[in-house]
Amino acid sequence: MKWTGKACIAVLATLLTVTTAAATSDTLPDLKGRKVAAVTGNDYTPLNFVDPATGKAVGWEYDAANEIGRRLNCEIQWDVCTWDTMISAIREGQFDVGMDGITINEKRKKQVDFSTPYMVTQQFMLVRADEDRFADEKEFAADKKLLIGSQAGTTNFYVGVYSVLDGNEANPRIKLFENFGAAVQAMLAGDVDMVLMDAASSRGYMGAMPGKLKMVGGPLGTEEFGFIFTQGSDLVDPFNQAIESMKKDGFLDRLNTKWFYEYNK
């Protein structure tokens, strides 16, 4: 199957059917103005990032969480921390909810509680627009000179190790960076040759840098994204109900259109 950019986003934007009871805005829990400390990384375009044109923190997850706050009658108070400290910060109760395109997996479930998945996405190979040395992961793996730019501990890193290379997490062909933005800049500078990224973020970077980037190959792996909470948090069920209501009334579809189609125009 040939994957067009629009088809990639359509797959990514497909929302899972959740198991919580159906909820509408007038039947959701009322948190009575409760202050909810939310944290993100501002490093995952278009889910959460600083808009270079305005200097403001924006993105799909900001809009979604703020709407959840409105529907649940709670005040979302934003903070920022790095990806490598976010899960531990939530686990230790420094914040109530965290979001950074966080993939739901069993290892993380031992440290934090997850919301129901709000998005399904897949990994793709993001490359320079003029890249012609490889067209898929097999051709990339076969050329020992080619390097991957990644961030330690992320799904993208593990997909690179196990779906593209040889399963060796210390493989020198993976160069680590502080965040995805730095990895993309290194790729543009020629220091690495490919960055694995979900279709949403790839689309966002392509929109922010017109004519400089493209996706090649097919999807590599499937991810479910969820908000994270301190284990045992009483916010999980209200957030799940709000996510369900936003799915049912089309709000999440509107966010998909805004950030995965319109933002890059």
Side-chain angles (χ1 to χ4, degrees), residues 101-244:
I102 302 174
T103 301
I104 300 170
N105 63 37
E106 293 304 314
K107 181 178 179 180
R108 291 169 183 165
K109 284 182 179 180
K110 294 177 181 179
Q111 302 180 70
V112 293
D113 286 346
F114 277 93
S115 71
T116 190
Y118 59 80
M119 186 179 293
V120 181
T121 187
Q122 296 169 309
Q123 299 296 308
F124 287 84
M125 299 170 70
L126 185 67
V127 301
R128 293 183 293 274
D130 61 354
E131 181 59 72
D132 59 6
R133 294 169 296 174
F134 57 93
D136 58 30
E137 70 277 12
K138 292 182 180 179
E139 292 182 359
F140 182 95
D143 188 339
K144 305 301 183 182
K145 296 180 293 184
L146 299 176
L147 305 176
I148 300 175
S150 189
Q151 185 179 6
T154 62
T155 298
N156 316 72
F157 171 81
Y158 293 114
V159 170
V161 170
Y162 294 102
S163 297
V164 179
L165 300 179
D166 58 2
N168 176 13
E169 294 183 13
N171 192 312
R173 292 182 63 186
I174 299 184
K175 302 301 180 184
L176 299 180
F177 296 88
E178 183 177 351
N179 54 54
F180 290 117
V184 171
Q185 290 299 326
M187 181 174 65
L188 289 171
D191 297 327
V192 297
D193 305 291
M194 181 267 284
V195 175
L196 278 166
M197 198 172 290
D198 65 87
S201 294
S202 295
R203 188 76 170 178
Y205 277 106
M206 289 164 63
M209 304 176 185
K212 294 185 177 182
L213 299 166
K214 66 181 180 181
M215 288 187 288
V216 299
L220 298 170
T222 299
E223 297 177 299
E224 298 172 353
F225 289 169
F227 301 120
I228 60 172
F229 304 84
T230 305
Q231 288 186 330
S233 172
D234 63 351
L235 290 171
V236 176
D237 184 62
F239 266 65
N240 285 348
Q241 292 188 50
I243 292 169
E244 172 72 354

Side-chain angles (χ1 to χ4, degrees), residues 3-16 44-47 60 118-124 197-204 215 219 222-225 252-253 256 259-261:
W3 291 79
T4 64
K6 195 164 186 177
C8 296
I9 300 306
V11 170
L12 130 80
T14 300
L15 297 167
L16 290 179
Y44 210 144
T45 307
L47 299 185
W60 195 104
Y118 59 80
M119 186 179 293
V120 181
T121 187
Q122 296 169 309
Q123 299 296 308
F124 287 84
M197 198 172 290
D198 65 87
S201 294
S202 295
R203 188 76 170 178
M215 288 187 288
T222 299
E223 297 177 299
E224 298 172 353
F225 289 169
L252 295 185
D253 288 335
N256 293 333
W259 291 109
F260 303 146
Y261 289 97

